[in-house]
Amino acid sequence: VLEQEALRESIFRHLKTQTELQKIQQKIIQQERLAAIGQMASGIAHDFSNALMPVLGFSEILMNRPEAMKDTEKVQKYIEMINTSARDAMHLVGGLREFYRQKENTENLLPMDLNKAIKQAVLLTQPRWQGEFRSKGVNVKVSMKLDPVPEIIGNEASIREALINLIFNALDALPNGGSVQFGTRVEASQVVVEVSDTGMGMDEQTRQRCFEPFFSTKGKGGTGLGLSMVYGVIRRHGGTIESSSQQGKGTPVLIRFPVAAPSTSSNGSSGQVL
């Protein structure tokens, strides 16, 4: 009888300990979920701010420069950029739950002109690298050397959003000015996009982790979601992305996309500087 009572008490103690452990685990899981939600919210605010920046930039140009309203061609161009940015913001909101999902049949993937997307990304970020930076006395040049390349299969809004994030990331590395250059070319059955800047560069440890979600070298001002979002977009499109950055020597980023069709090519251009 004594042995049975001792065994019963041992079982009760074990069950009580197990229940307490489960409660502790649930609290830890809840805390981790709350922390993840907070980090994700910060990242959403970051990307949404990027999408809205051209809306503010181009609308402020129209409001602060009444003489610009007389140039109907320029006004039309600015309105088109504002509209594109607003649509990209809508796409961002609609795709929040798809941060790292795999490509699905329902995703709107169509043949697209990658050179055109690059030109749009450069123009959409112009209010920052040309307006904001120059107002601070900092000179930044963004140039493009785009070869004629075949079309790729992709979602234009997602690709444009990734390119804009790459530009903003490059600008963050140019507090004292410098240059950002885009280049495109064809290698075998791939379209290659190279984005390089003359900024601070990264050490080897940072380079290896730069595409990780929530990894940032910008302290409280960084979310660590910009480059990881770029990585997710590129991978969903069947592409690859890598960086060979070195500290003090700038950051080149190399992106490779599979070609949509060998017979289809998009508009290219010789060297162009904005």
Side-chain angles (χ1 to χ4, degrees), residues 19-37:
T19 301
E20 290 175 350
L21 286 174
Q22 288 176 343
K23 289 181 179 179
I24 293 172
Q25 288 175 341
Q26 289 175 351
K27 287 182 179 180
I28 292 174
I29 291 171
Q30 185 177 14
Q31 290 173 351
E32 289 178 344
R33 285 177 178 172
L34 289 174
I37 290 171

Side-chain angles (χ1 to χ4, degrees), residues 196-250:
S196 59
D197 65 65
T198 58
M200 299 175 289
M202 298 180 284
D203 58 33
E204 181 60 20
Q205 183 179 5
T206 302
R207 187 192 68 79
Q208 291 181 358
R209 299 190 60 193
C210 66
F211 296 115
E212 292 181 12
F214 308 120
F215 175 77
S216 175
T217 59
K218 302 172 187 176
K220 293 182 179 180
T223 64
L225 287 176
L227 286 181
S228 61
M229 185 283 294
V230 173
Y231 178 86
V233 169
I234 303 305
R235 293 297 295 171
R236 287 206 308 271
H237 284 75
T240 62
I241 181 170
E242 59 182 314
S243 173
S244 55
S245 177
Q246 296 183 38
Q247 199 162 21
K249 296 184 178 180

Side-chain angles (χ1 to χ4, degrees), residues 46-47 50-51 88 91-92 112 114 117-118 120-122 124-125 152 155-170 182 193 195 211 225-237 241 253 255 257:
H46 166 268
D47 287 343
N50 283 352
D88 286 351
H91 172 78
L92 176 65
M112 60 168 287
L114 193 55
I118 292 172
Q120 289 176 332
V122 171
L124 287 168
T125 56
I152 67 169
N155 181 291
E156 282 194 23
S158 294
I159 295 293
R160 190 164 49 240
E161 181 185 346
L163 294 170
I164 287 173
N165 264 283
L166 284 175
I167 294 173
F168 283 146
N169 192 72
F182 276 90
V193 181
V195 189
F211 296 115
L225 287 176
L227 286 181
S228 61
M229 185 283 294
V230 173
Y231 178 86
V233 169
I234 303 305
R235 293 297 295 171
R236 287 206 308 271
H237 284 75
I241 181 170
V253 175
I255 303 170
F257 291 104

Side-chain angles (χ1 to χ4, degrees), residues 1 3 12 22 28 31 42 54 58 73 79 82 88 92 97-98 121 123 139 145 149 160-161 196 255 261 265 271:
V1 175
E3 290 181 356
F12 284 151
Q22 288 176 343
I28 292 174
Q31 290 173 351
S42 178
F58 288 115
E73 185 177 346
I79 292 175
I82 290 171
D88 286 351
L92 176 65
R97 66 182 181 276
E98 306 171 0
L123 185 58
N139 185 37
K145 190 175 181 180
V149 295
R160 190 164 49 240
E161 181 185 346
S196 59
I255 303 170
S265 61

Side-chain angles (χ1 to χ4, degrees), residues 16-208:
K16 183 179 179 181
T17 301
Q18 190 175 29
T19 301
E20 290 175 350
L21 286 174
Q22 288 176 343
K23 289 181 179 179
I24 293 172
Q25 288 175 341
Q26 289 175 351
K27 287 182 179 180
I28 292 174
I29 291 171
Q30 185 177 14
Q31 290 173 351
E32 289 178 344
R33 285 177 178 172
L34 289 174
I37 290 171
Q39 288 176 314
M40 184 62 72
S42 178
I44 292 167
H46 166 268
D47 287 343
F48 200 70
S49 176
N50 283 352
L52 291 181
M53 189 173 292
V55 175
L56 293 174
F58 288 115
S59 61
E60 285 176 358
I61 290 175
L62 294 174
M63 289 189 299
N64 298 331
R65 301 178 189 173
E67 68 278 4
M69 297 295 290
K70 299 177 182 178
D71 188 340
T72 56
E73 185 177 346
K74 183 173 290 187
V75 170
Q76 178 69 23
K77 183 178 180 182
Y78 288 169
I79 292 175
E80 287 176 359
M81 290 300 100
I82 290 171
N83 184 266
T84 298
S85 297
R87 290 181 180 276
D88 286 351
M90 290 177 61
H91 172 78
L92 176 65
V93 172
L96 292 180
R97 66 182 181 276
E98 306 171 0
F99 188 75
Y100 256 153
R101 68 176 176 81
Q102 295 296 315
K103 184 171 62 179
E104 297 176 357
N105 294 331
T106 56
E107 190 167 15
N108 186 24
L109 300 180
L110 299 169
M112 60 168 287
D113 184 341
L114 193 55
N115 283 347
K116 178 183 176 183
I118 292 172
K119 293 173 186 176
Q120 289 176 332
V122 171
L123 185 58
L124 287 168
T125 56
Q126 187 175 338
R128 183 177 180 192
W129 57 261
Q130 191 175 77
E132 181 183 326
F133 272 62
R134 288 185 181 178
S135 67
K136 298 176 181 177
V138 178
N139 185 37
V140 173
K141 181 177 69 174
V142 179
S143 61
M144 296 177 285
K145 190 175 181 180
L146 311 178
D147 290 344
V149 295
E151 290 183 327
I152 67 169
I153 296 294
N155 181 291
E156 282 194 23
S158 294
I159 295 293
R160 190 164 49 240
E161 181 185 346
L163 294 170
I164 287 173
N165 264 283
L166 284 175
I167 294 173
F168 283 146
N169 192 72
L171 294 177
D172 287 338
L174 299 170
N176 301 316
S179 64
V180 181
Q181 184 175 57
F182 276 90
T184 55
R185 61 182 184 272
V186 179
E187 288 184 2
S189 58
Q190 295 179 318
V191 177
V192 180
V193 181
E194 185 169 3
V195 189
S196 59
D197 65 65
T198 58
M200 299 175 289
M202 298 180 284
D203 58 33
E204 181 60 20
Q205 183 179 5
T206 302
R207 187 192 68 79
Q208 291 181 358

